[in-house]
Amino acid sequence: MNSETCVMHSSRYVVGLMSGTSVDGIDAAVVRITDEPDGGVSAELIGFENTPYPAAVRQEIFTLFDPLQATVNKIGSMNVLLGELYAEAALSVITSAGLSPVDIAVIGSHGQTIYHAPESEQLHGYDIHYTVQIGEGSVIAARTGIPCVSDFRPADMAVGGQGAPLVPFTEYLLYREAHRTLLLQNIGGIGNMTVIPAGCSQEQVYAFDTGPGNMIIDGVVERLYPGQLTMDIGGAIARQGTIHEGLLNLLMQEPYYSQPLPKSTGREHFGSSYIDWLLDYTKDQSIKAEDVVATVTKLTAWSIGDAYRRYVRDHHSADALLVGGGGSYNPVLVEFLRQEMEPMGVQVMTQEEVGYSSDAKEAVAFALLADHTLKRQPNNLPNVTGANRPIIMGKISY
Ligand SMILES: Nc1ncnc2c1ncn2[C@@H]1O[C@H](COP(=O)(O)OP(=O)(O)OP(=O)(O)O)[C@@H](O)[C@H]1O
Ligand SMILES: CC(=O)N[C@H]1[C@@H]2OC[C@@H](O2)[C@@H](O)[C@@H]1O[C@H](C)C(=O)O
């Protein structure tokens, strides 16, 4: 192989598509992935677009979170519709990056989670764990002409894992440092933390869902300001409120926070029934809307500090916590997080403050995961998901 072919083979463009638990839309990233001499890879963000779901589609996705409404025909048709929307998002970001589909080696698509059941259920004598992400990979491949890797999580579950979180594998590749222990905190719908000890090996990384990210904040805001708001933009409501200690103490009793690792959670836990229960209580106690929003914002920051104290601090004293995900755009939440972490000696910074894009991070992760799938390299972290072995995740549609 001459040196020119060598260079060509060491670098490729990959598209990553992510739709998170907030159901806000489709994040699409074009990434140049380069093999590094030390056997690792680097990733450069070439293009990024966020396409909000059309309001009616978003509403229909929410109906699929309720098992009684999620009939098989609705799931089947939404699976194909989302495949179409993901293909359009991929083609759009490729064009805006100045590339064409033939330049792209593979698309990695997370899909839309509609159900996540990592705990074991017994069915006809078998141990069943399952998770459902929709957005048909075959449709994405057919519309774009690019191979698509989709449906990553079931492979990890098939070997005993929780099928989540998957992003930590890529955080190890991209963020590890020789001398600093880093916490990477994503605040999406759900909050999740990755611990990357200074100079660690892949086996020493661990991660887990800390609990709700923006899910409770969004949930109460949507109900308290119907038709007006779906999120507390810039933390404007929380800023006007006062923390209600009684409510905060009650919410802190939620058993998920003290559940042992590995653990992951979702809308099944902190979704609409949880919001119903919470708002019934605040109504009974006549707690003002802005105080409810301030209190659940504080709870979210507390749950992250609590997770650090409970599962991390005794093993690894962290130097910094890098916050990503939509929650990093809520300055009140970030300020509460600083109040939690900085007295413990952990500096809090956003992904933007360290030169990365918060918005693109998970889409970049699915580009890297798909790249590993095509290379037939394992891409789960058993330590993180609880799987009993490394496995190659993802289903390939050519
Ligand atoms: N300007 C803003 N002000 C306040 N909150 C914001 C702002 N922008 C985004 N958010 C919050 O971030 C959420 C979206 O976050 P993100 O896109 O990271 O979630 P996700 O990827 O869907 O979730 P997950 O990572 O759990 O799958 C919104 O629902 C909102 O709560
Ligand atoms: C089942 C599912 O979609 N889980 C999400 C969710 O959103 C955040 C957290 O809960 C994490 O476990 C996961 O997503 C990210 C992308 C992950 O797997 O790392």
Side-chain angles (χ1 to χ4, degrees), residues 2-328:
N2 64 32
S3 61
E4 205 182 329
T5 1
C6 215
V7 170
M8 280 171 63
H9 279 211
S10 69
S11 192
R12 59 254 164 220
Y13 292 111
V14 178
V15 168
L17 300 174
M18 176 68 197
S19 292
T21 51
S22 314
V23 201
D24 47 355
I26 307 162
D27 292 332
V30 180
V31 183
R32 184 175 25 228
I33 299 178
T34 304
D35 296 322
E36 296 297 329
D38 65 358
V41 290
S42 62
E44 184 191 352
L45 184 63
I46 304 293
F48 176 73
E49 282 182 353
N50 170 274
T51 313
Y53 281 130
V57 172
R58 182 168 195 260
Q59 229 170 359
E60 261 178 68
I61 293 171
F62 271 91
T63 65
L64 301 183
F65 297 146
D66 174 1
L68 294 177
Q69 292 191 62
T71 50
V72 69
N73 58 324
K74 283 190 191 162
I75 297 173
S77 58
M78 190 55 81
N79 180 44
V80 174
L81 174 68
L82 291 187
E84 299 284 359
L85 297 183
Y86 293 157
E88 287 174 11
L91 290 171
S92 169
V93 75
I94 292 166
T95 308
S96 71
L99 296 169
S100 93
V102 293
D103 300 319
I104 309 297
V106 62
I107 296 173
S109 177
H110 171 267
Q112 180 67 58
T113 295
I114 58 168
Y115 210 80
H116 183 60
E119 302 308 332
S120 178
E121 286 174 20
Q122 282 296 310
L123 189 61
H124 301 300
Y126 288 85
D127 249 352
I128 306 290
H129 318 242
Y130 63 101
T131 184
V132 185
Q133 282 76 43
I134 58 171
E136 184 51 54
S138 309
V139 173
I140 302 173
R143 299 292 172 268
T144 60
I146 303 166
C148 177
V149 182
S150 60
D151 214 9
F152 290 83
R153 301 187 191 276
D156 180 76
M157 281 191 163
V159 292
Q162 299 243 328
L166 304 187
V167 172
F169 176 82
T170 66
E171 291 173 326
Y172 167 75
L173 294 177
L174 301 180
Y175 289 82
R176 69 180 184 273
E177 289 188 11
H179 303 294
R180 287 200 311 168
T181 292
L182 298 180
L183 306 176
L184 299 182
Q185 178 69 41
N186 176 57
I187 311 184
I190 293 297
N192 49 303
M193 181 185 284
T194 304
V195 183
I196 308 187
C200 68
S201 66
Q202 193 168 296
E203 290 70 34
Q204 289 166 313
V205 174
Y206 66 106
F208 54 93
D209 289 352
T210 48
N214 297 287
M215 197 170 277
I216 307 184
I217 303 173
D218 288 356
V220 299
V221 167
E222 256 185 300
R223 300 277 194 90
L224 294 170
Y225 303 85
Q228 300 168 53
L229 290 171
T230 58
M231 63 173 85
D232 181 15
I233 301 166
I237 305 172
R239 196 187 303 285
Q240 287 165 16
T242 308
I243 291 155
H244 187 286
E245 292 297 336
L247 175 61
L248 182 61
N249 283 324
L250 174 72
L251 299 179
M252 284 170 168
Q253 306 313 314
E254 158 60 47
Y256 180 79
Y257 303 125
S258 54
Q259 199 175 300
L261 305 187
K263 61 178 181 175
S264 60
T265 187
R267 203 168 276 287
E268 302 70 34
H269 212 111
F270 295 104
S272 61
S273 328
Y274 182 93
I275 303 293
D276 288 341
W277 164 81
L278 194 161
L279 291 180
D280 280 350
Y281 176 86
T282 59
K283 212 165 145 194
D284 279 354
Q285 302 285 316
S286 311
I287 304 175
K288 287 192 290 190
E290 61 272 28
D291 294 352
V292 175
V293 179
T295 306
V296 297
T297 306
K298 180 74 180 170
L299 172 82
T300 305
W302 167 83
S303 68
I304 295 167
D306 180 64
Y308 175 64
R309 285 183 287 272
R310 228 183 256 275
Y311 307 110
V312 185
R313 188 171 56 174
D314 293 346
H315 317 283
H316 304 285
S317 155
D319 297 287
L321 177 142
L322 306 183
V323 200
S328 64

